[in-house]
Amino acid sequence: MAIASIPSLYRSTVGKKAIMAVTGVLMVLWLIGHMVGNLKIFFGLEEFNGYAAWLRTLGAPALHEGWFLWVMRFGLLAAVVLHFSTAAELTVRAKRARPVKYQHRAKVNGSYAARTMRWGGVIILLFIVWHILDLTVGTVNPHGVHGEAYQNVVAGFAPDRWYITLFYVLAVVSLGFHLRHGLVSAVQTLGLKNPRQDKALNVIATGFAALITVGFLIVPISVTLGVVD
Amino acid sequence: MKLKLRIWRQKNAADKGRMVTYEVDDISEDASFLEMLDVLNERLAVEGEEPVAFDHDCREGICGMCSLVINGQPHGPERNTTTCQLHMRKFKDGETIDIEPWRAKAFPVVKDLVVDRGAFDKIIEAGGYISASTGTAPDAHATPVPKADADKAFVAAECIGCGACVAACPNGSAALFMSAKISHLGLLPQGQPERDDRVVNMVRTHDDLDFGGCTNTGECTVACPKGIPLEFIGRMNKDWLSASGK
């Protein structure tokens, strides 16, 4: 299968969805790595901070310290921008496609996950901004010391900052729903869906979404409950 | 049966339109939904009022003319059923029923519940045909078609082009209609010569006509009176990605 040319991808509604699918898959692959890294916090301060320091040496000696991270960050930024802008364009297009609304709209048949993709996506985007300020840049983190990832996490989700943990829980649950629909949708958009395997795909998508949700939530909740300190 | 109907009335394309309430009595449970509207219209005509305009033709569920969004559902509450094949026994005595036209920018209201579905014709003109000369019926074995492909092409060919998929789609997309036509022709040997051009041109025309984009919510297949499955949209996506790169 040849790859569609970039301009035609961007112009067409089918192509826009393909862009969303590919950028979505890239972000999901990155999320898996992020989650695994987070879970290392249960092995203690040294291992967690050592892991954080090691991330800066990725690609060395070919790459200077931190270069790999910056390449990855720009890649992720491009994925987020493309994913969001194509979604926004499709949303505007959808509004334009039905200028007069129905007086009586029946309860939609689609899943909760499918219905909440757009607002869920906005919640996740706002969360990403906060999350970077919190645990990457450190400006909104009470500890916020560069190189002390463990201490930053422990301070950020301290029991008296339960409302921050609650916000993280809401955002990650939104992410879980987003992934539940997004995974199946991406497979369909790229024309890779086999109707005979619909059931299996749904089970995998639900399981994966649940795994990501639990895998990310277990860290802040453990800190807030005092399991990690 | 006694029913309260809230019907969209709109004099013409320029009129703003509004819901108007009517009461009908003595409706048989065995009447079809359209026959129920006929009863209302006869009374309106006698009373000197303008009858409610709605599309219909064969009343056998195969022509694709009837439409109507009934209580928010295209073709009403019964699955795999056109409005003309929907019977009043599916409703409760004394119920209030909301009746609206298909809502899409590409399907402008002509009058009351009648919309102009010419946009579908434009999509078909863009690629929903084959150029092979078909002539009279060929020998059955002249062009072998695998049974599985023939069956699938038949499923796609069941699409009657009524537009319920667009009416149901939260994005106002015609992806299900378009994908049924593309799959119906693309699964058969006679449809191969234009296979790439067909999908590219039909999708482009669809987008130019201000239909929305598919976001895989699956509302269309639930509303479709012929139960056209979502797998054809996946097939269309695959064809489009492949053709656009050539």
Side-chain angles (χ1 to χ4, degrees):
Chain A
M1 190 174 83
I3 303 298
S5 65
I6 298 298
S8 74
L9 263 180
Y10 209 79
R11 269 199 308 272
S12 157
T13 51
V14 177
K16 280 192 186 25
K17 281 299 281 180
I19 291 175
M20 292 191 67
V22 171
T23 52
V25 167
L26 290 175
M27 291 189 284
V28 165
L29 290 175
W30 178 82
L31 271 181
I32 296 170
H34 184 15
M35 183 185 76
V36 171
N38 285 2
L39 293 175
K40 290 176 77 78
I41 200 162
F42 293 107
F43 299 103
L45 185 148
E46 269 174 41
E47 181 158 347
F48 192 67
N49 284 355
Y51 165 74
W54 169 79
L55 283 178
R56 329 205 122 262
T57 67
L58 271 174
L63 297 178
H64 184 69
E65 189 186 296
W67 280 15
F68 179 86
L69 277 189
W70 278 108
V71 170
M72 195 186 67
R73 282 167 184 161
F74 278 111
L76 280 172
L77 183 68
V80 171
V81 167
L82 281 172
H83 197 80
F84 186 82
S85 62
T86 41
E89 282 180 74
L90 285 169
T91 307
V92 169
R93 188 174 243 287
K95 301 274 173 242
R96 205 173 53 210
R98 180 162 297 131
V100 183
K101 302 268 169 285
Y102 287 108
Q103 305 272 326
H104 184 141
R105 189 77 175 115
K107 196 178 167 295
V108 277
N109 302 293
S111 66
Y112 178 79
R115 287 206 299 281
T116 53
M117 286 306 274
R118 284 169 184 154
W119 281 112
V122 171
I123 291 173
I124 295 165
L125 185 71
L126 293 174
F127 165 76
I128 292 172
V129 173
W130 175 268
H131 184 48
I132 289 174
L133 292 175
D134 186 9
L135 290 168
T136 307
V137 186
T139 44
V140 297
N141 188 285
H143 190 68
V145 177
H146 200 74
E148 297 186 0
Y150 188 94
Q151 294 90 323
N152 291 341
V153 170
V154 170
F157 301 115
D160 60 336
R161 281 166 61 87
W162 57 271
Y163 48 91
I164 297 292
T165 307
L166 186 68
F167 172 52
Y168 271 70
V169 170
L170 284 175
V172 172
V173 169
S174 300
L175 176 69
F177 279 112
H178 203 77
L179 292 184
R180 171 60 185 83
H181 177 75
L183 281 173
V184 179
S185 185
V187 175
Q188 166 83 337
T189 295
L190 297 175
L192 305 172
K193 197 150 166 262
N194 180 341
R196 265 171 303 180
Q197 292 158 2
D198 267 359
K199 239 186 208 143
L201 181 63
N202 283 333
V203 170
I204 291 170
T206 306
F208 182 79
L211 182 79
I212 289 281
T213 307
V214 172
F216 274 111
L217 283 186
I218 199 166
V219 174
I221 290 178
S222 297
V223 174
T224 304
L225 294 180
V227 180
V228 173
D229 56 14
Chain B
M1 291 176 84
K2 192 174 175 166
L3 298 161
K4 196 167 151 190
L5 307 173
R6 292 177 62 228
I7 302 177
W8 183 261
R9 299 304 306 264
Q10 184 176 338
K11 284 195 183 70
N12 51 50
D15 184 20
K16 205 164 163 279
R18 76 231 153 265
M19 297 295 269
V20 177
T21 306
Y22 300 93
E23 290 197 8
V24 285
D25 209 344
D26 273 340
I27 298 292
S28 162
E29 291 201 332
D30 299 325
S32 77
F33 200 86
L34 297 185
E35 284 164 345
M36 182 274 294
L37 288 178
D38 291 339
V39 171
L40 169 69
N41 275 346
E42 279 175 23
R43 193 190 83 205
L44 291 179
V46 168
E47 290 171 355
E49 274 191 65
E50 185 78 8
V52 178
F54 61 89
D55 267 328
H56 61 102
D57 191 8
C58 76
R59 298 207 180 193
E60 291 178 358
I62 52 164
C63 76
M65 267 314 276
C66 63
S67 54
L68 307 186
V69 174
I70 302 163
N71 284 339
Q73 288 179 292
H75 290 299
E78 198 177 3
R79 289 284 289 264
N80 299 332
T81 306
T82 55
T83 295
C84 65
Q85 295 291 297
L86 175 68
H87 290 87
M88 297 315 294
R89 51 181 169 270
K90 296 287 167 189
F91 298 88
K92 287 191 286 287
D93 190 31
E95 193 176 337
T96 300
I97 305 174
D98 290 340
I99 310 169
E100 297 174 75
W102 285 176
R103 293 285 185 207
K105 190 178 178 212
F107 289 163
V109 172
V110 177
K111 184 180 181 182
D112 297 336
L113 302 169
V114 177
V115 298
D116 179 358
R117 284 171 279 190
F120 269 11
D121 297 333
K122 294 204 179 81
I123 293 177
I124 292 293
E125 281 169 26
Y129 54 81
I130 58 168
S131 60
S133 167
T134 48
T136 52
D139 289 337
H141 63 294
T143 312
V145 180
K147 177 76 166 76
D149 289 352
D151 287 347
K152 211 177 253 191
F154 261 118
V155 172
E158 273 199 78
C159 169
I160 52 175
C162 67
C165 46
V166 176
C169 178
N171 305 306
S173 168
L176 192 67
F177 161 77
M178 194 164 47
S179 73
K181 300 306 170 192
I182 287 166
S183 301
H184 157 205
L185 298 172
L187 279 159
L188 298 172
Q190 293 88 344
Q192 297 314 307
E194 297 91 4
R195 185 165 167 183
D196 288 344
D197 290 343
R198 177 181 304 120
V199 65
V200 170
N201 293 335
M202 284 176 84
V203 169
R204 182 182 299 140
T205 305
H206 165 275
D207 292 354
D208 289 346
L209 288 165
D210 272 339
F211 285 104
C214 172
T215 59
N216 308 319
T217 64
E219 297 292 327
C220 51
T221 189
V222 178
C224 177
K226 298 297 160 185
I228 303 290
L230 288 179
E231 69 168 284
F232 292 130
I233 297 183
R235 202 188 142 79
M236 171 178 77
N237 293 337
K238 192 175 180 179
D239 270 11
W240 187 90
L241 287 169
S242 156
S244 299
K246 283 178 191 166

